């Protein structure tokens, strides 16, 4: 496309389409790939605000002869969601449930609605849309229709095609109509009509009549034949169903505008049988026998390699413990109208297999949570096998073939033999064995010519193998570019000719997702890596020890699974900004792709300005650095670290945003301001002065500023505790005086001292200023952060040398010592020792208290907001145990980030996103809690967000809650915490900036900071 045509297309789309039209480098980079091996940079992206706007966009594209790609969740593994085309992203706005007919068990939806959200809306009717891929939290109905998605539940429900009643479609040439089953008399009537629809249906009938017998002969009669177009749906015995014909066509034939879906009753009662076998082949050979004796809801398989990978990544450890003896397992879920009925089905199956519930190779569970955990383990397969610890990177390419269940065992033996022939490391085999569908990711070497040749050769031979077993190239993920070129091996040349004629009927100009399924691009073209991939290498501040010390390799972690695009904040931390904005570039995946493009491994990369890229900076701007992706992402992308590294290079030798000087240098400024805390507080809250100061400091005007304590925690400790205990005393612990507890909320540290002492510890505390460097890290001032950490290590040396535990109260500080600091200073011995000696408050009590910890019972209910860094780096299990031991009836909120996230929510331009993140789960939970329920949040940011949101609640640290149990009389701490406080009484929980803003109030200070940055080169 010429520059003139390109500009004219963009202008026309902006003029005609009610939506977001994006031809910028950032948007094009974020949509350049899906979850496959392929990469094609789009022409531009359109995010329509309505179905009508999407139709208008296609009309504009037709007028400008531009190809179109409809896209849902973008998690396709075969390359069907990447193309040099105008990408229409339905997922942000076109996501309505239009209507529900509970009696008829149908609903009408827009294509962008996410499956989990749809089923959540249908729950009140006791209905659900049945197929459930492992990406159910992010996949859209439109994408499921495009791929003919299946998932584990397809054992009961069938494929997406079997659950679609009608579709409203739009062809590239402008035909718009509803399609579905077509009785003969209706078919005759439509063809008799003049116009485009009659022409189309007439062509479809001729196609059916000409190729019908060959279709019957060549189409495998298996439940998971997902490859090719569904020509069999045109046969008379299938009702000439044009809707089902189009399901699985991957957007190559027509655009789906709306869909009428068939619904099923939600399964009432289930039990789960987990059966162990000597290996995965033996498990496969048992599947036909299981189907003879039972009609399972799901029949899934995993092997010991997958379990090994999950253990290495600490994925679903509680699920692994539920597995019986064996090295291959089948998970058989059985249903019943009652639990007794489901139990009886399980008993009958065991009898048919000659087993008993008491066997060591059998686990029978009725517990819903156990069943959910086992499902989650199976669904984690793609992520668990992607960056496995003891083998090279694995890739799709032959990840979802399907054969008749009766022949599955033999197929697996031959497939393993073929894999070993090519010298590929032993993979994990798992999948939907009740339908004969096998998942596997293989360590192809896409960065070498021989590796690419081996990929092609292996795929061709594997295609011949599955065909020899009467199977399908794809049993779930479609053809796209990965298998389009191989369809002739499966169907023969006559059927491929029929596919091409079908494509010509719907899309004669080949403008709908061209190069996929028919007239496909080569399977070894358009690779995300490939032999021409040459990313630039750059010296970095972080060591990236888990990525061969390479930033570029770290950027390859993201494989597009899309878990970061979950819209439900109750299912984990990641990714809070995406949950609010619903923007691809604000997901962990989108940011990772832009950083990948920034490395400029490809000549056509839209991001051409490297570390100075404004597109990457803008995408990272709304990253809260919550680190949720470090734990919640199945491949452990650490976007907070990537962001800090990027900012350090982006602003090297340049003037930074003022918030980097004010909030980034907050520990130093807070220390200076505390010399005259009352004066500083008066200035910070003086009418007019505070507003000007916040503006100059880059702080959001809506935020209140935290008053300084009149006495720091260190000063209180020195005044009340005197000298330091012996570092070598095994009962000694160091309480880390973080800036927040030290300068703003010393009562938290005082409570912690009392609790630790009551548990038998001798508490030490540094008397000199110390800091973990977090604020410099989060703003990308990494040279300064490393200097701060070295100085801190020097001041902690006596305790580090003695092996004294360092107990943190602020989770983000402990997380720095456990993660960021060792990666910034990998050669610094004391920093590495500090990682091992750093403990959370709960870890100290549970695992290190002299003689064990036996707290007085609180006997209170509490809602608990776990800090996102706590969740991601240390895990929250020990804190949950501590609360149970203390007699707290604690509801730990599943959501992670409060939205304030250190400096993020205080920076100008972030306030609304920060509050919207908090409103996803945290603030509603606080508001609906009883006044007598404690609100516990160890993070200073979390407590600040709760207080500043007008919840009328005073949240407390776990140390305060435990200390309150020691108060028997008077106005105890927990009584004050439970009492509602008016919004005007917000005092000590205000967050990060203190004297910061006072500095910002003086314009000369801003100039001085800028000069300081230029001369000293802080980055």
């Amino acid at each position: 496309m010429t520059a003139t045509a390109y500009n004219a297309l963009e202008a026309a789309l902006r003029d005609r389409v009610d939506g977001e039209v994006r031809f910028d480098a950032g948007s094009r980079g974020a949509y350049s790939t899906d979850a496959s091996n392929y990469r094609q940079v789009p022409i531009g992206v359109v995010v329509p605000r309505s179905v009508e706007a999407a139709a208008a966009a296609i009309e504009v594209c037709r007028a400008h002869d531009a190809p179109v790609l409809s896209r849902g969740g973008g998690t396709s593994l075969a390359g069907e969601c990447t193309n040099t085309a105008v990408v229409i992203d339905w997922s942000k706005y076109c996501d309505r449930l239009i209507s529900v007919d509970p009696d008829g068990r149908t609903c009408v939806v827009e294509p962008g609605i996410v499956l989990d959200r749809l089923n959540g809306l249908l729950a009140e009717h006791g209905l659900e849309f049945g197929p459930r891929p492992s990406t159910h939290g992010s996949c859209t109905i439109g994408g499921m229709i495009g791929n003919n998605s299946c998932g584990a539940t397809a054992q009961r429900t069938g494929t997406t095609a079997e659950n679609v009643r009608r579709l409203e479609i739009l062809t590239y040439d402008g035909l718009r109509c509803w399609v579905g089953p077509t009785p003969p008399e209706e078919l005759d009537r439509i063809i008799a009509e003049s116009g485009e629809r009659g022409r189309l249906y007439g062509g479809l009938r001729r196609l059916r009549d000409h190729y019908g017998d060959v279709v019957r002969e060549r189409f495998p009669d298996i439940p998971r034949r997902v490859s090719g177009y569904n020509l069999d749906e045109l046969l008379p015995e299938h009702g000439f169903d044009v809707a089902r014909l189009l399901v699985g066509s991957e957007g190559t034939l027509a655009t789906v505008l709306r869909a009428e879906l068939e619904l099923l009753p939600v399964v009432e009662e289930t039990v789960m049988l987990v059966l162990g076998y000597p290996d995965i082949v033996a498990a496969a050979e048992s599947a036909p026998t299981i189907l003879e004796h039972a009609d399972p809801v799901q029949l899934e398989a995993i092997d010991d390699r997958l379990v090994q990978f999950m253990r290495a990544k600490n994925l679903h450890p509680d699920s692994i413990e539920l597995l019986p003896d064996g090295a291959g397992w089948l998970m058989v879920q059985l249903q019943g109208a009652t639990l007794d009925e489901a139990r009886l089905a399980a008993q009958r199956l065991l009898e048919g297999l000659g087993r008993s519930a008491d066997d060591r190779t059998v686990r029978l569970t009725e517990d819903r949570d156990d069943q959910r955990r086992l499902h989650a383990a199976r669904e984690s397969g793609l992520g668990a096998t992607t960056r496995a610890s003891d083998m090279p990177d694995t890739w799709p390419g032959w990840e979802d073939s399907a054969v008749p269940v009766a022949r599955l065992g033999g197929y697996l033996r031959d497939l393993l033999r073929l894999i070993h022939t090519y010298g590929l490391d032993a993979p994990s085999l798992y999948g939907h064995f009740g339908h004969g569908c096998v998942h596997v990711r293989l360590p192809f070497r896409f960065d070498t010519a021989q590796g690419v040749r081996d990929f092609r050769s292996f795929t061709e031979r594997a295609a011949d193998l599955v065909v020899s077993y009467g199977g399908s190239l794809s049993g779930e993920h479609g053809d796209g570019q990965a298998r389009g070129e191989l369809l002739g091996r499966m169907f023969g040349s006559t059927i491929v000719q029929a596919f091409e004629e079908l494509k010509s009927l719907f899309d004669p100009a080949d403008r709908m997702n061209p190069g996929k399924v028919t007239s496909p691009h080569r399977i070894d073209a358009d690779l995300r890596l490939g032999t021409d991939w040459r990313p630039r290498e750059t010296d970095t501040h972080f060591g990236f020890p888990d990525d061969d010390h390479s930033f570029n390799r770290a950027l390859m972690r993201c494989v597009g699974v899309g878990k970061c695009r979950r819209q439900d904040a109750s299912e984990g931390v990641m990714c809070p900004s995406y949950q609010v904005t619903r923007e691809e570039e604000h997901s962990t995946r989108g940011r990772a792709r832009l950083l990948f493009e920034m490395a400029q491994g490809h000549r056509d990369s839209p991001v051409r300005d490297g570390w100075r890229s404004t597109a990457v900076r803008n995408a990272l701007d709304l990253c809260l650095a919550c680190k949720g992706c470090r734990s919640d992402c199945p491949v452990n992308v650490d976007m907070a670290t990537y962001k800090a590294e990027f900012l350090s290079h982006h602003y090297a030798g340049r003037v930074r945003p003022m918030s980097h000087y004010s909030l980034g240098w907050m520990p130093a400024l807070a220390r200076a301001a505390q010399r005259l805390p009352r004066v500083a507080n008066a200035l910070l809250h003086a009418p007019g002065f505070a507003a000007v100061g916040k503006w100059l400091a880059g702080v959001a005007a809506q935020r209140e500023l935290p008053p300084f304590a009149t006495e720091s925690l260190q000063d209180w400790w020195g005044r009340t505790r005197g000298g330091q205990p012996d570092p070598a005393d095994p009962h000694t612990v160091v309480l880390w005086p973080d800036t927040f507890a030290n300068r703003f909320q010393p009562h938290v540290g005082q409570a912690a001292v009392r609790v630790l002492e009551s548990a038998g510890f001798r508490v030490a505390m540094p008397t000199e200023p110390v800091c973990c460097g977090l604020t410099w890290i989060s703003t990308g001032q990494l040279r300064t952060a490393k200097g701060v950490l070295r100085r801190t290590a020097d001041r902690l040396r006596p305790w580090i040398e003695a092996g004294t535990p360092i107990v943190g109260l602020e989770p983000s500080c402990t997380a720095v010592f456990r993660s960021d600091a060792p990666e910034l200073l990998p050669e610094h011995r004391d920093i590495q020792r500090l990682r091992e000696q750093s403990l959370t408050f709960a870890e100290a009590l549970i695992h290190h208290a002299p003689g064990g910890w036996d707290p007085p019972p609180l006997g209170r209910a509490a809602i608990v907001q776990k800090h996102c860094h706590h969740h991601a780096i240390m895990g929250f299990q020990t804190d949950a145990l501590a609360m149970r031991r203390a007699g707290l009836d604690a509801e730990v909120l599943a959501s992670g980030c409060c939205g304030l996230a250190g400096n993020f929510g205080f920076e100008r331009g972030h306030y609304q996103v920060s509050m919207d993140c908090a409103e996803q789960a945290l603030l509603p939970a606080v508001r609906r809690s009883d006044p007598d329920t404690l609100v516990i949040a160890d993070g200073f940011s979390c407590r600040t967000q709760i207080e500043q949101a007008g919840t009328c609640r005073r949240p407390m640290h776990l140390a305060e809650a435990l200390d309150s149990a020691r108060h028997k009389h008077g106005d105890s701490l927990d009584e004050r915490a439970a009492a509602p406080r008016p919004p005007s009484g917000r005092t000590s929980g205000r967050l990060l900036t203190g004297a910061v803003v006072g500095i910002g109030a003086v314009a000369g200070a801003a100039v001085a900071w800028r000069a300081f940055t230029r001369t000293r080169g802080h980055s």
Side-chain angles (χ1 to χ4, degrees), residues 16 87 180 217 245-246 278 340 349 356 435 480 493 506 566 652 700 775 854 877 1007:
R16 292 280 311 281
V87 174
E217 176 188 345
L245 165 72
L246 293 172
D340 284 340
L349 175 56
S356 163
H435 275 175
S493 59
F506 278 94
R566 286 183 179 270
T775 57
D854 185 22
Q877 298 89 337
V1007 175

Side-chain angles (χ1 to χ4, degrees), residues 218-264:
R218 294 304 303 254
F219 273 49
D221 185 17
I222 59 175
R224 293 277 188 138
R225 197 275 307 150
V226 174
S227 277
Y229 293 134
N230 297 337
L231 290 177
D232 53 330
E233 296 294 349
L234 295 179
L235 299 175
E237 56 267 35
H238 293 158
F240 203 90
D241 195 327
V242 180
R244 292 187 178 185
L245 165 72
L246 293 172
V247 175
S249 60
E250 303 174 9
T252 62
L253 302 180
T255 298
V256 175
L257 303 178
R258 295 180 181 89
E260 182 179 357
L261 309 175
E262 297 180 359
L263 307 176
L264 292 170

Side-chain angles (χ1 to χ4, degrees), residues 398 458-469 473 489-490:
W398 195 252
F458 172 88
T459 305
E460 291 172 342
R461 291 181 63 180
D464 292 339
L465 175 64
V466 77
V467 171
S468 74
Y469 273 87
L473 306 177
R489 294 173 180 262
M490 174 178 170

Side-chain angles (χ1 to χ4, degrees), residues 462-490:
D464 292 339
L465 175 64
V466 77
V467 171
S468 74
Y469 273 87
S472 175
L473 306 177
S474 172
E476 186 157 39
H477 299 141
D479 298 317
Q481 190 166 345
R483 284 173 283 273
E485 195 183 353
L486 305 172
L487 290 177
R489 294 173 180 262
M490 174 178 170

